């Protein structure tokens, strides 16, 4: 009798242990607080696809960027002593005027409220620039704007990668072009402090860096080129930019009011096509070259 009771206790203990181990696995997806649960709780349905909290945050940040970077660019055109900073300011004014129009158009369709003033930090940056002059102004402009654009670059990539909303996906593509253009122009001033940017970014990281060993002074073996190996070599596409100056960035974008895909037949992986001018119709004069 004691042997039977002992066996039963062992079996009961094993069942309890297996159950305790299995419970988190099958219940994890349904628990509140998980990534999937938070995503679904903050997402609303639209005719252009689900709109997440990250999507809405991105839309607001695109608007905020224009609210401070556009006047900063205008100020640089008027006050900067160097032509390189004036040129960067010109790109900021043109780029954010265009991107802001796109953001407002998307927000109106999705019903997202946008701010009308820069946030406190951005207002502080504008005050910093207004208080500076001469070479100090040039360096503050180059580094404040380059740092801000670099940080938003990561958000643009995340949203472009994860959004399920076609309007937000197109806006992320447009923002990527604008931000990269502005980063390039700011770096071309020769005034960006890359050490300061790297040190600030390193201070935010907690994981140890990984990668190949540091160079030891000896040249490693040359890697083999990655080339097509198939028999059919009749390729028609070309790289988006050819090797050359860093300003060789493709800035072609569809006009703001380009025809959107039919919401009854959404294609989440396809970009909205630009509207082509009809017979005898001239292209949109506001389209970026």
């Amino acid at each position: 009798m004691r042997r039977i009771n002992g066996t039963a206790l062992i079996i009961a203990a094993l069942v309890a242990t297996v159950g305790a181990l299995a419970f988190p696995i099958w219940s994890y997806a349904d628990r509140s607080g998980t990534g999937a649960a938070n995503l679904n709780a903050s997402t609303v349905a639209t005719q252009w696809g689900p709109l997440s909290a990250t999507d809405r945050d991105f839309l607001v940040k695109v608007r905020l960027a224009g609210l401070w970077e556009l006047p900063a660019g205008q100020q640089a055109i008027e006050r900067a002593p160097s032509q390189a900073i004036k040129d960067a300011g010109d790109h900021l004014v043109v780029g954010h005027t265009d991107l802001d129009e796109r953001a407002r158009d998307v927000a109106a369709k999705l019903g997202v409220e946008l701010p009308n003033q820069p946030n406190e930090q951005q207002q502080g940056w504008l005050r910093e620039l207004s208080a500076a002059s001469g070479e100090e102004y040039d360096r503050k402009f180059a580094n404040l704007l380059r740092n801000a654009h670099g940080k938003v670059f990561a958000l643009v990539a995340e949203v472009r990668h994860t959004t399920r909303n076609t309007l937000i996906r197109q806006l992320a593509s447009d923002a990527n072009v604008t931000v990269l253009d502005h980063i390039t122009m700011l770096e071309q001033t020769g005034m960006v402090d890359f050490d300061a940017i790297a040190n600030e970014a390193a201070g935010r990281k907690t994981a140890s860096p990984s990668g190949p060993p540091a160079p030891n002074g000896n040249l490693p073996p040359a890697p083999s080129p990655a080339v097509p190996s198939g028999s059919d070599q009749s390729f028609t596409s070309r790289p988006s930019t050819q090797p050359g100056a860093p300003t060789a960035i493709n800035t072609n974008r569809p006009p703001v009011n380009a025809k959107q895909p039919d919401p009854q037949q959404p294609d989440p992986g396809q970009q909205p096509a630009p509207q082509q001018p009809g017979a005898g119709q001239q292209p949109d004069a506001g389209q970026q070259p």
Side-chain angles (χ1 to χ4, degrees), residues 31-278:
R31 291 187 301 169
S32 62
T34 64
N38 290 338
L39 173 65
N40 293 330
S42 64
T43 298
V44 296
T46 77
Q47 61 179 308
W48 295 277
L51 182 71
S52 70
T54 300
D55 295 337
R56 299 191 295 275
D57 182 55
F58 168 70
L59 190 50
V60 168
K61 286 183 176 178
V62 170
R63 168 69 169 170
L64 283 171
L67 289 176
W68 89 274
E69 292 175 20
L70 198 157
Q74 184 67 53
Q75 185 188 73
I77 294 172
E78 298 169 357
R79 292 187 50 202
S82 73
Q83 187 59 45
I85 294 295
K86 291 180 183 290
D87 291 342
D90 183 274
H91 277 241
L92 260 67
V93 170
V94 173
H96 281 292
T97 299
D98 173 78
L99 194 59
D100 184 74
E101 182 180 359
R102 296 169 188 273
R104 287 184 288 106
D105 180 67
V106 170
K109 290 174 180 175
L110 296 175
V112 176
E113 183 178 0
L114 296 179
N116 286 311
Q117 288 186 337
N119 61 34
E120 290 186 10
Q121 184 182 45
Q122 293 165 338
Q123 291 178 35
W125 291 335
L126 287 171
R127 286 193 296 269
E128 257 190 85
L129 290 173
S130 296
S133 61
E135 184 180 347
E136 181 193 15
Y137 178 89
D138 280 355
R139 295 200 175 277
K140 277 188 178 292
F141 181 91
N143 286 281
L144 281 174
L145 272 299
R146 170 59 179 81
N147 205 14
H149 280 82
K151 289 176 180 176
V152 80
F153 214 16
L155 176 62
V156 172
E158 178 191 356
V159 171
R160 182 62 183 79
H161 172 55
T162 62
T163 186
R164 295 169 287 173
N165 189 283
T166 57
L167 294 181
I168 295 294
R169 188 178 301 117
Q170 181 61 55
L171 183 63
S173 295
D174 296 336
N176 183 69
V177 173
T178 301
V179 171
L180 183 55
D181 173 67
H182 294 175
I183 284 176
T184 303
M185 293 301 299
L186 290 162
E187 291 175 352
Q188 285 223 315
T189 65
M191 300 178 190
V192 174
D193 187 345
F194 291 104
D195 288 334
I197 291 175
N199 288 330
E200 181 187 344
R204 297 194 302 268
K205 294 180 180 177
T206 56
S208 298
S210 60
N216 59 9
N218 298 320
L219 289 177
S224 302
V227 294
S229 57
S231 58
D232 188 351
Q233 301 284 320
S234 57
F235 310 117
T236 58
S237 62
R238 294 291 181 269
S240 58
T241 58
Q242 299 299 319
T247 51
I249 297 172
N250 183 2
T251 57
N252 291 332
R253 283 177 286 183
V256 175
N257 296 318
K259 186 178 185 299
Q260 298 296 335
D262 185 351
Q264 302 302 321
Q265 297 178 343
D267 183 1
Q270 185 176 358
Q271 296 295 315
Q275 189 176 23
Q276 299 296 327

